[in-house]
Amino acid sequence: MRRLVVLLKKEFLQLLRDKILIIILIYAFTIDVYVGGKGVKLKVNNFPTIIQDQSKSFKSRELISRFREPYFKILAFVESDKEVVDWLDKGKASMAIIIPPDFERKVDKGQGKIQVIIDGTMSITATMAVSYVAEITNDYAIELLERKGGVTKQFFESFPQIDGRTRVLFNPNCLSHWFMGLAELFNVITMVPLLITAAALIKEKEYGTIEQLLVTPVRSWEIFLAKMLPTVIIVSLLAMLSIFIMIKGVLGVPIRGNLFLFYIVTCFYIFTLSSIGIAIATMVRNLSQAMMVIMIILVPMLMISGVWTPPEAMRLFARYASLLSPMRYYLDFSYGVLLKGNSLKYIWHDILGILLIGSMLLAFSAVRFRQSFAK
């Protein structure tokens, strides 16, 4: 135990003396989390739109008035198809609404149509913008029917219909920064341990100090633990500070669950990722190779974790592959605890997944380290 304490003291001193690393860690758990929460919007805001109103009638102007901020930003009223193509091709506008000359006459006959041309390069935003347009035009059509021929709300209620009432739980106002801020924090918690531990061991190999450690009266497992425990302690503390300062304080996300449970499981999760960093460091010769291997592992792990695409929406292969990623279980566990306030009754299977996969990865890393630096 005394040898382990001495090694831990050495590792802490090395970490704390690395000023660049300290700055990166502070940035990752503060500014990066804030930018991740506030910089990405999962809804349409000020969508750049142009309008070609060929009708120039009362009803066309009435419809156009419904496309207003903060959802749509009308940049210009154009007069020709060439201008429409020019605005879209140059990327100055993302959507064009074209109202035909006979719009008002056809509306009076119940056959009114408009054309919407949208830039699908940003497919998620484009899909949401199209849904907004459909909702606006449908509401306007119902309003026109209510005005015409004494048709009232009671007229529509006489038809068979389904009253679908949506109730949003855990984020009633659908604030995207609640989700995005936490998602960025979990990404940081996943990436940083891999990078720190791999870089620390590779630096020892490049400077030749790992051989000096191996000739001292310490065992390989003590070096293994000493390389990971400082990362676990520092990253877990920074994660908790980020939750209190950035997530709850700055972004205003309510924390409903048991933070002690979250901290314990997060420590084991970081411990697992740190062990993967150690295993990577034993397989490569320098830091550049380590970064490439980390990217090969990290990118698929993030993509199939469920942070961007629900596992249910993935292809069958990707869905089963995600079951091998500890990040999938960690995300479900963390959102369940922090946003939903779930107890062990609802998250035990996620904890079990983290423990099982984490234990296997930890065992693999320990064996790999022992084979590389056995005494």
Side-chain angles (χ1 to χ4, degrees):
M1 180 59 71
R2 185 177 179 181
R3 295 191 298 264
L4 181 59
V5 171
V6 173
L7 287 173
L8 286 173
K9 181 179 179 181
K10 164 189 166 296
E11 295 297 331
F12 272 113
L13 287 174
Q14 283 185 336
L15 281 175
L16 295 176
R17 285 172 181 170
D18 193 336
K19 295 180 181 179
I20 300 298
L21 178 61
I22 296 300
I23 292 173
I24 292 174
L25 287 174
I26 294 173
Y27 168 83
F29 285 95
T30 54
I31 298 174
D32 188 51
V33 173
Y34 177 80
V35 172
K38 290 291 189 178
V40 179
K41 298 291 185 182
L42 298 180
K43 58 183 180 180
V44 174
N45 275 315
N46 294 319
F47 199 68
T49 304
I50 58 173
I51 295 176
Q52 184 184 8
D53 184 8
Q54 299 174 359
S55 175
K56 292 184 173 58
S57 60
F58 172 76
K59 286 187 172 62
S60 67
R61 290 191 296 270
E62 194 174 44
L63 176 61
I64 291 169
S65 68
R66 295 168 180 262
F67 293 91
R68 53 181 178 264
E69 296 182 354
Y71 306 111
F72 298 95
K73 184 176 183 180
I74 308 300
L75 300 179
F77 288 85
V78 299
E79 299 297 331
S80 65
D81 294 343
K82 184 178 181 302
E83 289 181 272
V84 170
V85 173
D86 187 59
W87 277 81
L88 292 175
D89 284 350
K90 290 183 178 180
K92 295 188 292 182
S94 297
M95 184 172 73
I97 299 173
I98 302 172
I99 302 176
D102 56 353
F103 175 74
E104 187 167 52
R105 179 173 58 82
K106 287 197 172 182
V107 165
D108 293 335
K109 293 181 178 180
Q111 300 174 349
K113 294 180 181 180
I114 65 171
Q115 182 181 19
V116 177
I117 304 175
I118 195 163
D119 182 357
T121 307
M122 300 294 290
S123 59
I124 296 176
T125 309
T127 301
M128 289 190 290
V130 168
S131 67
Y132 284 22
V133 172
E135 186 174 354
I136 289 172
T137 54
N138 287 337
D139 289 344
Y140 183 56
I142 291 173
E143 183 180 319
L144 291 175
L145 284 173
E146 289 177 349
R147 295 181 198 169
K148 185 178 180 181
V151 177
T152 63
K153 184 178 180 181
Q154 288 73 23
F155 174 79
F156 292 102
E157 291 177 349
S158 64
F159 290 96
Q161 57 182 303
I162 297 174
D163 184 10
R165 300 186 182 184
T166 302
R167 183 181 178 189
V168 180
L169 299 178
F170 315 121
N171 187 358
N173 293 323
C174 295
L175 301 175
S176 60
H177 65 268
W178 286 21
F179 168 77
M180 295 304 303
L182 285 172
E184 189 60 30
L185 174 61
F186 301 150
N187 287 340
V188 170
I189 292 174
T190 301
M191 290 186 289
V192 168
L194 278 170
L195 297 171
I196 292 180
T197 50
L201 184 56
I202 290 171
K203 187 183 295 185
E204 297 267 19
K205 291 170 64 177
E206 290 178 340
Y207 292 167
T209 53
I210 189 70
E211 284 78 11
Q212 296 177 13
L213 280 177
L214 293 175
V215 297
T216 59
V218 294
R219 297 180 177 86
S220 59
W221 67 267
E222 292 173 330
I223 301 175
F224 181 73
L225 288 178
K227 288 295 179 185
M228 293 191 299
L229 287 177
T231 300
V232 174
I233 294 170
I234 291 175
V235 173
S236 61
L237 289 177
L238 287 174
M240 296 305 293
L241 287 174
S242 183
I243 284 177
F244 284 110
I245 297 173
M246 301 305 301
I247 299 297
K248 187 175 182 179
V250 177
L251 298 180
V253 181
I255 306 300
R256 300 186 173 96
N258 188 330
L259 286 176
F260 179 74
L261 175 63
F262 173 77
Y263 178 75
I264 296 299
V265 176
T266 297
C267 285
F268 184 81
Y269 180 68
I270 296 170
F271 197 81
T272 300
L273 294 169
S274 300
S275 69
I276 299 174
I278 294 291
I280 292 171
T282 63
M283 293 185 277
V284 299
R285 296 180 180 179
N286 51 55
L287 191 57
S288 299
Q289 292 180 356
M291 295 299 104
M292 294 176 67
V293 175
I294 288 173
M295 292 301 295
I296 292 173
I297 295 174
L298 196 58
V299 172
M301 185 186 296
L302 293 175
M303 292 298 102
I304 65 175
S305 65
V307 67
W308 299 115
T309 304
E312 295 78 13
M314 298 178 187
R315 293 293 182 92
L316 191 62
F317 172 77
R319 197 184 313 164
Y320 284 121
S322 69
L323 297 175
L324 301 176
S325 170
M327 190 177 183
R328 171 177 173 174
Y329 301 101
Y330 183 69
L331 287 176
D332 290 342
F333 160 79
S334 300
Y335 283 123
V337 170
L338 298 180
L339 285 183
K340 299 180 181 180
N342 284 345
S343 62
L344 283 172
K345 177 182 177 182
Y346 300 100
I347 57 176
W348 66 267
H349 55 282
D350 294 318
I351 298 176
L352 182 62
I354 295 172
L355 293 175
L356 288 177
I357 297 176
S359 298
M360 289 188 289
L361 292 172
L362 186 60
F364 168 77
S365 302
V367 170
R368 179 67 194 176
F369 184 85
R370 185 177 180 182
Q371 291 173 346
S372 300
F373 302 108
K375 296 181 61 176

